[in-house]
């Protein structure tokens, strides 16, 4: 018989995280790492005090309504919480937390990789080398778009957006941003604030998305907004696929409004959008923004910090 709270960790997290969690909690784990269904979440809520889910487990209003009252906290292993209906969970008395800060560097690294890879034609070059089809050189061979010194527009100047700005300043880029609120000068570091997305788009030769997916940001980049970008602009998305209307994206690539794109997120995940595969100027990765050992562990420890605070009777640092 144990008095430890019972915690369900829905996906296979690292041994270091499980070891730390096991010291304070009775764990139910998922070594086979299968995503868990709504029915499994509902059934498990009667057996556990806490769940540590990934964005692969959905807590929508329907699931929230059916949760057992034993479940007290959903301590997400993610910064994005679009898989959770937070008002519905709160209404059921469930505390919800996330893992901000710890994945900003890793995610901004992937944004930088996508920006450089899209601009400098990484997909075409890599394919050429793998298929032994590099037979020719000329001054106009594989000419891409220079990144250094160019304007970078950032939508969503939270932690990841600010880190992307910091990394990009290292390339001499001029940072412009749109955010719900203007940042204070010590956080802006000379970046230019735009109070509308439309105003930002007009100067965004490079555009990187770093805002959460919410009802008001779904298809934020639609045909009308792509049309406001400078000709030959490059879009980077490491935030959420739902921010981009993928049909409009392909229209902008076809018209040349966009010269390239770098995408780590898609409307449909896993899987992505097979129609994008024909575009050699789209550099794509399978949602790996936070996928480094260091960051994965840090996300787990942050989720555990939130659990520890909650079970010590305190308000978790990352309560939403
Ligand atoms: C994670 C993410 O891989 O944390 C987020 O919001 O998008 C990713 O970096 C995933 O969500 C982990 O659950």
């Amino acid at each position: 018989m144990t008095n430890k709270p019972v915690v369900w960790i829905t996906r296979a997290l690292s041994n270091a995280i499980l070891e730390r969690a096991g010291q304070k909690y009775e764990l139910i784990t998922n070594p086979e790492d299968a995503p868990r269904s709504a029915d499994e979440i509902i059934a498990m809520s009667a057996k556990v005090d806490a769940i540590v889910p990934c964005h692969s487990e959905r807590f929508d209003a329907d699931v929230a309504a059916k949760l057992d009252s034993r479940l007290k906290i959903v301590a997400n292993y993610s910064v994005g919480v679009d898989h959770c209906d937070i008002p519905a969970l709160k209404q059921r008395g469930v505390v919800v937390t996330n893992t901000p800060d710890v994945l900003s560097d890793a995610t901004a690294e992937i944004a930088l990789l996508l920006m450089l890879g899209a601009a400098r034609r990484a997909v075409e070059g890599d394919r050429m080398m793998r298929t032994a089809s590099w037979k020719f050189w000329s001054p106009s061979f594989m000419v891409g778009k220079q990144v250094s010194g160019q304007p970078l527009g950032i939508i969503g100047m939270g932690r990841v957006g600010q880190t992307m700005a910091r990394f990009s300043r290292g390339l001499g880029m001029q940072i412009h941003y749109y955010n719900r609120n203007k940042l204070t000068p010590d956080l802006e570091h000379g970046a230019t604030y735009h109070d509308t997305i439309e105003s930002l788009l007009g100067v965004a030769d490079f555009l990187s998305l770093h805002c959460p997916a919410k009802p008001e940001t779904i298809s934020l980049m639609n045909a009308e907004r792509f049309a406001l970008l400078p000709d030959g602009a490059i879009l980077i998305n490491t935030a959420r696929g739902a921010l981009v209307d993928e049909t409009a994206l392909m229209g902008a690539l076809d018209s040349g409004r966009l010269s390239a794109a770098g995408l780590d997120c898609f409307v449909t995940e896993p899987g992505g959008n097979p129609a994008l595969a024909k575009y050699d100027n789209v550099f794509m990765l399978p949602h790996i923004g936070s996928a480094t050992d260091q960051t994965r562990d840090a996300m787990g420890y942050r989720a555990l910090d939130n659990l520890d605070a909650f079970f010590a009777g305190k308000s978790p640092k990352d309560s939403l």
Side-chain angles (χ1 to χ4, degrees):
M1 203 44 200
T2 166
N3 289 325
K4 289 178 176 175
V6 181
V7 176
W8 180 34
I9 300 186
T10 64
R11 302 298 300 271
L13 303 187
S14 75
N15 288 337
I17 300 168
L18 296 182
E19 242 165 63
R20 179 179 144 184
Q23 289 165 14
K24 282 200 178 163
Y25 307 107
E26 190 183 315
L27 301 184
I28 301 176
T29 58
N30 176 6
E32 65 278 18
D33 206 17
R36 294 306 187 195
S37 67
D39 286 346
E40 288 170 298
I41 293 170
I42 293 160
M44 195 62 97
S45 68
K47 300 180 191 152
V48 302
D49 305 293
I51 302 182
V52 178
C54 292
H55 79 290
S56 47
E57 281 74 52
R58 295 200 65 77
F59 291 76
D60 57 23
D62 196 42
V63 169
K66 293 177 184 151
L67 291 173
D68 191 271
S69 58
R70 173 162 181 184
L71 178 68
K72 296 288 181 296
I73 173 167
V74 171
N76 283 295
Y77 177 90
S78 68
V79 65
V81 285
D82 46 307
H83 58 290
C84 291
D85 187 324
I86 295 172
L89 286 166
K90 280 188 176 169
Q91 212 194 356
R92 296 300 317 276
V94 176
V95 171
V96 185
T97 62
N98 68 343
T99 58
D101 297 320
V102 292
L103 42 63
S104 304
D105 282 15
T107 306
E109 281 179 8
I110 288 291
L112 203 58
L113 172 67
L114 289 171
M115 180 165 70
L116 291 166
R120 301 303 299 275
R121 304 173 64 168
V123 174
E124 288 166 86
D126 184 74
R127 175 173 309 116
M128 205 176 284
M129 299 310 291
R130 285 173 199 282
T131 55
S133 48
W134 178 28
K135 307 279 189 218
F136 178 75
W137 185 89
S138 99
S140 59
F141 172 67
M142 286 284 294
V143 169
K145 185 172 161 116
Q146 180 115 358
V147 178
S148 43
Q150 301 303 307
L152 168 64
I154 293 178
I155 299 184
M157 202 60 150
R159 298 167 183 91
V160 184
Q162 288 177 41
T163 308
M164 178 61 172
R166 175 162 57 85
F167 289 176
S168 303
R169 279 197 302 274
L171 287 167
M173 298 187 86
Q174 306 141 37
I175 312 300
H176 295 254
Y177 73 101
Y178 167 79
N179 197 48
R180 269 176 315 175
N181 303 307
K182 187 177 182 325
L183 302 185
T184 51
D186 58 316
L187 295 178
E188 261 182 348
H189 296 287
T192 305
Y193 177 64
H194 295 253
D195 59 5
T196 64
I197 292 179
E198 285 66 26
S199 154
L200 176 77
L201 295 179
V203 299
D205 288 280
F206 290 83
L207 177 70
S208 195
L209 307 182
H210 297 287
C211 56
K214 296 181 166 183
E216 60 273 24
T217 59
I218 302 297
S219 294
L220 174 135
M221 285 310 296
N222 55 23
E224 292 72 39
R225 288 209 170 117
F226 278 119
L228 298 176
L229 288 166
D231 258 341
I234 293 183
L235 170 77
I236 311 303
N237 187 10
T238 52
R240 283 293 181 265
L243 302 176
V244 177
D245 174 338
E246 289 173 349
T247 305
L249 166 68
M250 288 185 266
L253 289 163
D254 291 337
S255 72
R257 178 65 64 175
L258 283 182
S259 61
L263 308 173
D264 186 47
C265 298
F266 303 87
V267 171
T268 304
E269 293 185 9
N273 187 335
L276 285 165
K278 73 169 189 196
Y279 293 91
D280 273 355
N281 51 350
V282 180
F283 183 14
M284 296 187 276
L285 295 172
H287 199 148
I288 55 167
S290 61
T292 70
D293 286 335
Q294 183 183 322
T295 294
R296 289 277 183 248
D297 279 350
M299 291 165 71
Y301 299 146
R302 186 87 175 213
L304 293 179
D305 289 346
N306 287 319
L307 278 190
D308 292 352
F310 177 80
F311 287 110
K314 299 180 195 142
S315 170
K317 183 169 166 191
D318 303 316
S319 284
L320 296 166

